[in-house]
C-alpha cells in the first residue's frame, strides 16, 4: 500500500466484511515485509497478470446503461477506464466531456457505479488522444481537494451506446433517442486559472451548487429514540460525526424518513458518502441529497406531534466543526468497530467506561487510554453495526456535572 495508514485502514475494513473473489473468501493480514521489490522478471509477469485480471473484472458483463462491444484491444486503446475517488460532488457526463474533449474528439461515454465507486468508460476517436488525456489528467482533482481522476486504458476497443441518457451518451449519432427527463445540454463553469507545465493540468472547475440538506430514508420508527420526546437524537448523533447538524425533521406522514440540514454542502457530502448503506437500528439506511435547500421549522399553528418531530440545533454548544481549521476536520473516518472517546473526566476510570458500554448491551473487545492524554481513549466493539448503535446511544452522555462524553469513529485498532 502507499502508506502504513492505508494498510491499517484496509485491514480494519475487511476484518468486519470478509471479501470474496470468485466465491472464495479472502483473508487479509499484515506481512512481515516492510516493502515489496518488483524489479525481477517473474514479479513483473505476476504484476501484469494481476493487472489484467482486475481490468477484466471491471469490464465483465454489460453495463446497465448501454453495454459494450466485446472486441478486445491492444495494451493501449482509444477507450479509457476512469475511476473518480473522493466523490464529494456529482460528476456528470457533461463534466467528463468538457474535461476530456480538450485532448481530442470524445465519441462516447458510459458511466456506472461498481464496488461503491463512480466509474466511466470514455472513447476517443484516436488512441493518441487517449494517451495524451491519460498522461495529463491521471491523478488530478476535478474540484478542489476532491473528485480525483484515476485513469487507465480499457481492454475494449469500442463502446456500444444504445441510448442517450444520464448514464450513457454518444456524441456521433443525433438519431438516438435522448431519454433524459427535460434533456438539455449543461454548461459547466470553469474557474479561470493558469495551467501548470505539461503533462500535469490543474482542472480548477467550480463546484456545482449543492444543498446542505440530506434525505435519510429507511429509518426504523419503532425503535426508542424515534418515539421519545427527542425523536431526532439517533440520526443527529450519527450525522454530527461528519459536520455540525443545524436541524433535523422526521417527516410527519412518513416517519421512516428524515431531513438533516448540515452547516454546508461539503459536510452534507461527507455524511452522505460515509453513512449511505450503513445499518442503524437493524435497518440499512439510505442517505441522499434532498431537493430542499433548508429544513423549515414548523409554524405556530402546527400540532404538538409535528412540533416534536423537528429540532433546531443551530445554537448547540456540542458542534465540533465551528472553528475554521479545527483539528476535528482531520479526524473524520467512516464507521468502524473502533470508537474514539474524548472529553473523559479525570475521575472516570477504564472500568466505569467499560461498564457504561456493557450495560447498554454492547460487547467491549478492547480498551486503551491515550498515553499522553487520558481525556481520550479507544474502545473496540464486536462489529461496525454495534459501534454505530453505541455511538448514537452514548454520544453526549453526561459523565459528571459538567462534562459530556464525545464519541466518534476511529481509523485505529487496539
Amino acid at each position: 500500500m502507499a502508506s502504513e495508514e492505508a494498510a491499517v485502514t484496509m485491514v480494519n475494513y475487511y476484518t468486519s466484511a470478509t471479501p470474496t473473489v470468485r466465491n472464495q473468501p479472502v483473508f487479509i493480514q499484515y506481512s512481515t515485509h516492510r516493502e515489496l521489490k518488483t524489479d525481477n522478471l517473474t514479479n513483473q509477469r505476476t504484476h501484469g497478470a494481476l493487472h489484467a485480471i482486475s481490468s477484466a473484472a471491471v469490464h465483465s458483463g454489460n453495463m446497465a446503461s448501454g453495454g459494450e462491444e466485446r472486441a478486445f484491444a491492444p495494451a493501449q486503446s482509444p477507450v479509457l477506464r476512469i475511476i473518480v475517488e473522493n466523490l464529494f460532488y456529482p460528476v456528470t457526463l457533461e463534466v467528463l466531456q468538457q474535461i476530456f474533449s480538450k485532448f481530442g474528439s470524445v465519441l462516447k461515454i458510459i458511466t456506472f457505479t461498481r464496488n461503491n465507486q463512480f466509474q466511466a468508460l470514455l472513447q476517443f476517436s484516436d488512441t493518441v488522444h487517449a494517451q495524451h488525456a491519460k498522461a495529463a489528467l491521471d491523478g488530478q482533482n476535478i474540484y478542489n481537494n476532491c473528485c480525483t481522476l484515476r485513469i487507465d486504458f480499457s481492454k475494449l476497443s469500442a463502446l456500444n451506446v444504445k441510448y442517450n441518457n444520464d448514464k450513457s451518451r454518444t456524441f456521433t449519432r443525433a438519431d438516438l433517442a435522448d431519454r433524459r427527463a427535460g434533456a438539455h445540454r449543461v454548461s459547466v463553469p470553469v474557474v479561470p486559472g493558469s495551467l501548470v507545465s505539461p503533462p500535469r493540468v490543474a482542472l480548477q472547475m467550480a463546484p456545482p451548487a449543492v444543498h446542505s440538506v440530506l434525505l435519510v430514508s429507511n429509518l426504523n420508527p419503532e425503535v426508542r429514540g424515534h418515539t421519545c420526546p427527542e425523536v431526532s437524537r439517533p440520526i443527529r448523533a450519527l450525522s454530527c460525526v461528519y459536520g455540525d447538524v443545524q436541524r433535523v425533521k422526521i417527516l410527519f406522514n412518513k416517519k421512516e424518513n428524515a431531513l438533516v440540514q448540515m452547516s454546508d454542502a461539503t459536510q452534507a457530502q461527507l455524511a452522505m458518502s460515509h453513512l449511505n448503506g450503513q445499518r442503524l437500528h437493524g435497518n440499512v439506511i439510505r442517505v441522499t441529497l434532498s431537493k430542499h435547500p433548508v429544513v423549515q421549522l414548523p409554524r405556530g399553528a402546527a400540532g404538538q406531534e409535528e412540533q416534536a418531530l423537528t429540532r433546531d440545533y443551530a445554537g448547540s454548544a456540542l458542534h465540533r466543526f465551528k472553528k475554521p481549521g479545527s483539528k476535528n476536520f482531520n479526524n473524520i473516518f467512516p464507521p468502524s468497530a473502533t470508537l474514539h472517546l474524548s472529553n473523559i473526566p479525570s475521575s472516570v476510570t477504564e472500568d466505569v467506561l467499560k461498564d457504561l458500554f456493557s450495560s447498554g448491551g454492547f460487547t467491549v473487545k478492547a480498551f486503551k487510554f491515550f498515553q499522553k492524554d487520558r481525556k481520550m481513549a479507544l474502545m473496540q466493539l464486536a462489529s461496525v453495526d454495534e459501534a454505530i448503535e453505541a455511538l448514537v446511544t452514548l454520544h453526549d452522555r453526561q459523565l459528571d456535572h459538567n462534562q459530556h462524553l464525545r464519541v466518534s469513529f476511529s481509523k485505529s485498532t487496539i
Side-chain angles (χ1 to χ4, degrees), residues 41-281:
L41 187 59
T42 302
N43 273 328
Q44 288 176 3
R45 288 173 178 166
T46 304
H47 184 275
L50 289 172
H51 180 75
I53 290 170
S54 63
S55 297
V58 168
H59 299 312
S60 63
N62 268 342
M63 297 300 101
S65 56
E68 311 158 28
E69 294 178 3
R70 293 295 153 200
F72 284 87
Q76 295 186 355
S77 84
V79 180
L80 295 177
R81 177 173 62 93
I82 303 159
I83 297 176
V84 183
E85 298 177 345
N86 303 320
L87 189 69
F88 285 179
Y89 297 108
V91 175
T92 63
L93 289 166
E94 288 83 6
V95 168
L96 292 173
Q97 198 269 344
Q98 178 170 330
I99 293 170
F100 283 85
S101 63
K102 299 179 187 298
F103 300 91
S105 177
V106 175
L107 302 184
K108 301 171 186 177
I109 304 176
I110 295 173
T111 64
F112 54 97
T113 300
R114 176 158 292 165
N115 299 326
N116 292 321
Q117 285 185 313
F118 177 86
Q119 301 188 27
L121 294 169
L122 183 146
Q123 181 182 341
F124 277 102
S125 60
D126 188 273
T127 302
V128 174
H129 298 158
Q131 292 171 343
H132 289 166
K134 180 184 183 302
L137 298 176
D138 187 29
Q140 294 296 316
N141 294 329
I142 298 177
Y143 304 114
N144 188 28
N145 295 323
C146 67
C147 298
T148 307
L149 295 170
R150 302 298 180 196
I151 304 171
D152 208 341
F153 292 103
S154 171
K155 295 289 184 181
L156 302 169
S157 61
L159 302 178
N160 178 29
V161 174
K162 296 179 180 177
Y163 302 108
N164 282 342
N165 54 32
D166 289 330
K167 301 294 185 183
S168 61
R169 186 82 50 83
T170 176
F171 301 94
T172 60
R173 292 181 58 190
D175 60 309
L176 284 187
D178 195 325
R179 298 197 169 188
R180 294 171 294 153
H184 60 280
R185 293 301 301 275
V186 178
S187 176
V188 183
V190 179
V191 177
S194 59
L195 303 182
V196 299
S197 57
R200 310 301 279 173
V201 179
L203 302 182
Q204 294 186 322
M205 298 191 72
V210 180
H211 294 317
S212 58
V213 178
L214 298 170
L215 173 63
V216 184
S217 56
N218 203 37
L219 295 167
N220 188 342
E222 302 303 321
V223 175
R224 180 172 173 80
H226 293 282
T227 55
C228 70
E230 192 180 350
V231 294
S232 58
R233 173 179 163 76
I235 192 60
R236 183 234 177 173
L238 191 55
S239 301
C240 75
V241 174
Y242 302 105
D244 293 332
V245 176
Q246 301 299 303
R247 293 175 181 174
V248 177
K249 182 184 188 76
I250 308 294
L251 300 191
F252 183 74
N253 292 321
K254 209 171 183 182
K255 292 186 174 63
E256 66 273 18
N257 290 355
L259 295 175
V260 181
Q261 182 177 337
M262 308 297 288
S263 288
D264 57 45
T266 300
Q267 292 181 7
Q269 291 284 339
L270 275 172
M272 179 175 69
S273 64
H274 288 310
L275 297 180
N276 183 44
Q278 297 293 340
R279 191 176 296 275
L280 176 63
H281 299 325

Side-chain angles (χ1 to χ4, degrees), residues 339-355:
L339 295 174
H340 180 275
L341 313 181
S342 61
N343 206 36
I344 303 171
S346 57
S347 59
V348 173
T349 64
E350 175 179 336
D351 289 339
V352 169
L353 289 170
K354 285 183 176 179
D355 289 344

Side-chain angles (χ1 to χ4, degrees), residues 357-371:
F357 281 77
S358 298
S359 62
F362 307 113
T363 305
V364 178
K365 293 287 190 180
F367 178 92
K368 181 175 71 174
F369 273 114
F370 279 55
Q371 284 188 341

